[in-house]
Amino acid sequence: MRTPFVVGNWKLHKTIAESLALVTELKNQLAAVAAGKRVEVGVAPPFTALWPVARRLDDASVMVCGQDCFWEERGAWTGEIAPSMLVDVGCRWVIIGHSERRQHFGETDAGVGKKVKAALAAGLGAIACVGETDAERDAGSTTAVVDRHLEGALAHVTAADAARFVVAYEPVWAIGTGRTATPAQAQEVHAHIRKRLGEKLGAEAAAAIRIQYGGSVKANNAVALMGQADIDGALVGGASLEAADFIAIVRAARGNS
Ligand code: PGA
């Protein structure tokens, strides 16, 4: 039985003061929402807020996540952050290969694979994002694109990594658009992803790996999405910036456990 996992991806939002205000609210309210329930919760603030947020969450169950990391541990890589630096600051997980990084920052499938490998080697859990654009879906190539993204992400993953490897299915056309995939559309792709995971890593690992859905997840659609057999939580952008919205989504995921 997979424990649902909900992560808030704050993207390029929030100062340190704003970050602390939000996680303090989350910490206070989630203690009751998640108590004794099978649900894991994470937040991915901007790099500049990681340290104070991690300190504020020291005694809370909410996990701190990076929004990206590099595949090298040190060297002449101006602007990059090493996986072990995320561990150092208190992160447990890192998001890798988000579509915004693929679209705007030249992230490649091979690069995603190297980042996943480096993150796992440093002791982080890796949340690898996959998903097709509008044009790709219209062209009927959704599964081909997802397969290509998965192949890159899984290049160095083994069955032993199942507990620390998460796939986030995020159709690009649903991100920040208010246009969510229907629960049936999402489930269809999630089931396909699980099948591919099985082919690559074996049935036991495929049954254990969490597959999050992401793309305009809101309080009012989360229950239906989380009710799908292969949807094991959410990667939440816009709705993770307000405590009440995010907590409602955690509640929906928790209801699934
Ligand atoms: P959204 O973003 O919830 O604002 O659509 C999701 C994501 O990009 O992870």
Side-chain angles (χ1 to χ4, degrees):
M1 189 73 174
R2 297 178 293 272
T3 303
F5 187 20
V6 180
V7 172
N9 172 15
W10 297 1
K11 308 190 181 184
L12 208 172
H13 293 285
K14 299 204 182 281
T15 61
I16 291 172
E18 290 165 350
S19 298
L20 287 174
L22 175 53
V23 290
T24 303
E25 260 193 277
L26 291 179
K27 176 176 156 171
N28 293 340
Q29 294 179 38
L30 279 174
V33 172
K37 303 290 181 182
R38 291 183 53 253
V39 64
E40 289 177 19
V41 181
V43 290
F47 290 128
T48 46
L50 283 174
W51 175 260
V53 163
R55 298 295 71 75
R56 183 64 53 96
L57 292 175
D58 263 342
D59 56 347
S61 60
V62 179
M63 295 183 283
V64 184
C65 316
Q67 294 182 16
D68 185 26
C69 67
F70 193 47
W71 58 71
E72 293 288 349
E73 273 299 338
R74 62 189 60 77
W77 303 102
T78 302
E80 293 298 330
I81 299 282
S84 63
M85 290 170 175
L86 292 182
V87 173
D88 191 34
V89 86
C91 289
R92 305 263 300 274
W93 290 85
V94 59
I95 300 166
I96 294 175
H98 190 279
S99 63
E100 286 149 17
R101 301 225 48 96
R102 294 179 190 265
Q103 266 186 303
H104 307 302
F105 303 99
E107 193 103 309
T108 65
D109 296 324
V112 170
K114 289 201 278 185
K115 288 182 174 188
V116 168
K117 180 184 180 191
L120 293 172
L124 288 167
I127 301 170
C129 303
V130 305
E132 80 288 359
T133 63
D134 219 358
E136 288 163 341
R137 177 164 279 261
D138 287 348
S141 47
T142 296
T143 50
V145 171
V146 166
D147 284 354
R148 199 184 73 225
H149 288 168
L150 266 183
E151 204 172 308
L154 287 167
H156 310 283
V157 174
T158 70
D161 301 315
R164 292 190 300 130
F165 181 74
V166 166
V167 178
Y169 170 56
E170 299 207 305
V172 178
W173 48 270
I175 295 178
T177 58
R179 250 182 88 198
T180 329
T182 65
Q185 275 175 325
Q187 167 58 26
E188 189 184 1
V189 181
H190 280 234
H192 173 80
I193 291 170
R194 201 171 305 285
K195 187 173 116 224
R196 283 280 179 271
L197 291 172
E199 287 161 10
K200 166 87 181 169
L201 302 173
E204 202 179 319
I209 291 175
R210 272 86 58 89
I211 308 175
Q212 297 173 325
Y213 171 78
S216 297
V217 178
K218 308 287 176 205
N220 63 6
N221 58 29
V223 171
L225 285 161
M226 298 303 128
Q228 300 297 308
D230 288 293
I231 300 186
D232 311 310
L235 186 53
V236 186
S240 71
L241 298 174
E242 295 289 338
D245 297 340
F246 188 62
I247 286 168
I249 294 167
V250 174
R251 273 183 201 281
R254 177 199 73 173
N256 198 20
S257 61

